[in-house]
Amino acid sequence: MFVTRLAPVRPDVFARPVRTEGVEALAYALQQLINGVTLGMIYGLIAVGYTMVYGIIGMINFAHGDIFMVGAFLSLISLLGLASLGITAVPLALALTLLFAAGLAALYGWTVERVAYRPLRGSFRLAPLISAIGMSIVLQNFVQVGQGARVKPMNALLPGGIELMNEGDFAVQLSWMQIAIVATTLIVLTAFTWLVTRTPLGRSMRACEQDLKMAGLLGIDTDRTISLTFVIGAALAAVAGLLFLLYYGVIDFFIGFLAGVKAFTAAVLGGIGSLPGAVLGGLLIGLIEVFWSAYFSVEYKDVAAFAVLILVLIFRPSGILGRAEVEKV
Amino acid sequence: MTAPLLTLSGVSTFYGAIQALRDVDMTVNEGEIVTLIGANGAGKSTLMMTICGSPRARTGSIVYDGRDIARLPTHEIMRQRIAQAPEGRRIFGRMTVYENLLMGAEVSGQTDIPALLDQICDLFPRLKERLSQRGGTLSGGEQQMLAIGRALMARPRLLLLDEPSLGLAPLVVRQIFGAIRTLNRETGLTVLLVEQNAHQALRLAHRGYVLVNGAITMAGTGADLLARPEIRAAYLEGGG
């Protein structure tokens, strides 16, 4: 059921028979590469939120995928609102929507942590995890009731693109939308990397991630730092929600589940707790999913992604860039 | 004499149902080095951590600079110019030495970071050579210097040192104790030192307390405690 919902709606780009010969085959593979990287960027943005929260308090925030979904809805509301106000210049509308969705989703992220996780800190390990699953259900139902259960379509904001290659009857397309998605992701991740590596807040976050107790002993308000981690993660997820909406053109209250689990897979694949790992894992999951769909079967693309998760967990549980968990002395 | 910088009165701390500190009374005057000695599990580290509010004292008061800090959250206590180099050093292994030091200064709102950094590097020249190295790659002694340096970056009035000599070669221990003495003499820094190495600690300290099973059993000047036969028997035999 989700498969059809999440299936790409740009048939000109995706729905092609497999090419297996000569330059055409190369062109076909190149197209898949472009599509895979685009999708991978979106997963990567979501995965960063999982990995940050895991790094700092060691819990999987199962409601994170639903924050992403909320971000997609906020983006849709914002874009429709701006259109009704007559603001139709695409770059301006996108920039405003980005700020609106990221800001409000950040508030959601903050609230979820404050209401559902912080009171359980110091409780048994599974408590916040269960609470997270509860928050996930709450958010889904909240959006379902508030926005209706039907799929919400949106017209393509940036139609067209560049034709990179034209071999026989197969054209390699790089759509404006894909360029926008990759560019937005790179800008956001650059800003985020700068924040984590160069600013006092980023240092505090890393200190909390490495030794929460010591961070407190240095005068860091650890509760506040944890809150900010949720806020930043939620803002990144909202950016992903906007990009998802732009790319697929349809959203519903349930998209957070599948995208969330895939992004979680990406975080584990890259090495949970590692920020570069989350982005790398996102890219790999995007590529695996797209190439699997292109060469084997669209129906089983989720199976491919999750098979990877299982293999990673069996053979390299610390992921590609993760550290093997060493007991601290 | 002016009021002590730190006064603990009737402090009891519990881990769940287990009582770790029993009715502890203790004072630390400004400019003093006070040491707390005791066997493994006597509650020395618990006492240090209780001053920092983690765990919190269940009863009693902890007055620092005229203000009861026993109910404040840890990070607020640590912003009152109290700094701790805790047991096991707890440096940030995946941050550079420089970043570790920065963490000490930043949160407490220090602005003149280059000057502070120079001070620390003068005190521990070894750290200067390693500023861009990751904390986790340092030797044990260097890590201990970094832990103390990080604490000093907050310009503390009260420095809490938890077993700085643990697991270090005698030469390095001498270096570190020398640095503590220098700091105390030259800057008037107040130090509360927890040690298993009772001999050296008592020689360094102005006063000392002995902690047994969570309760203070003896107190006196360093020289006085060193001379007592029961201290010699319990903590110094074969040591020093």
Side-chain angles (χ1 to χ4, degrees), chain A residues 44 48 51 189 192-193 266 270-271 273-283 321 323:
Chain A
V48 165
T51 222
L189 285 181
F192 173 71
T193 306
S274 157
L275 295 174
V279 179
L280 178 67
L283 280 176
L321 297 181
R323 300 169 295 271

Side-chain angles (χ1 to χ4, degrees), chain B residues 6 29 32:
Chain B
L6 180 75
N29 297 307
E32 257 187 333

Side-chain angles (χ1 to χ4, degrees), chain A residues 152-173:
Chain A
K152 305 277 181 289
M154 199 192 74
N155 292 333
L157 261 191
L158 289 169
I162 311 169
E163 201 173 286
L164 290 181
M165 222 173 144
N166 200 335
E167 288 302 327
D169 58 355
F170 187 80
V172 179
Q173 279 257 345

Side-chain angles (χ1 to χ4, degrees), chain B residues 10-184:
Chain B
V11 170
S12 295
T13 303
F14 292 77
Y15 292 113
I18 300 162
Q19 185 164 12
L21 292 180
R22 298 164 197 277
D23 211 13
V24 169
D25 294 318
M26 183 179 192
T27 57
V28 180
N29 297 307
E30 183 115 48
E32 257 187 333
I33 300 179
V34 173
T35 188
L36 185 65
I37 58 176
N40 261 333
K44 304 186 299 289
S45 297
T46 302
L47 180 53
M48 294 291 239
M49 293 304 288
T50 302
I51 295 170
C52 299
S54 162
R56 211 162 282 291
R58 192 174 287 180
T59 61
S61 70
I62 302 173
V63 176
Y64 168 79
D65 198 20
R67 181 180 176 202
D68 191 348
I69 56 168
R71 305 285 170 270
L72 289 181
T74 299
H75 67 269
E76 275 178 34
I77 296 172
M78 305 320 281
R79 288 179 191 183
Q80 316 281 321
R81 298 183 63 200
I82 299 180
Q84 184 175 169
E87 188 182 21
R89 302 162 200 140
R90 304 189 93 142
I91 60 160
F92 301 114
R94 294 190 299 280
M95 285 193 192
T96 64
V97 170
Y98 175 69
E99 282 179 319
N100 268 279
L101 291 171
L102 219 49
M103 289 311 307
E106 228 159 44
V107 194
S108 56
Q110 299 303 327
T111 45
D112 197 4
I113 286 169
L116 278 167
L117 205 59
D118 280 347
Q119 252 178 318
I120 306 298
C121 290
D122 284 347
L123 197 64
F124 300 119
R126 293 275 280 283
L127 292 182
K128 191 172 189 165
E129 306 156 21
R130 309 233 184 279
L131 280 179
S132 57
Q133 230 170 287
R134 282 182 162 213
T137 65
L138 299 186
S139 72
E142 289 164 344
Q143 289 194 7
Q144 187 61 60
M145 292 174 194
L146 178 55
I148 297 174
R150 182 178 60 184
L152 289 172
M153 288 293 281
R155 271 186 193 283
R157 277 177 80 186
L158 174 62
L159 177 64
L160 308 174
L161 290 176
D162 198 342
E163 302 228 23
S165 73
L166 190 71
L168 301 185
L171 182 68
V172 183
V173 174
R174 258 205 299 285
Q175 245 177 317
I176 286 176
F177 275 44
I180 297 168
R181 179 175 288 134
T182 310
L183 276 168
N184 173 259

Side-chain angles (χ1 to χ4, degrees), chain A residues 190-206:
Chain A
T190 306
F192 173 71
T193 306
W194 174 80
L195 176 86
V196 170
T197 55
R198 296 267 182 269
T199 66
L201 171 62
R203 271 190 290 274
S204 293
M205 284 168 59
R206 282 182 291 146

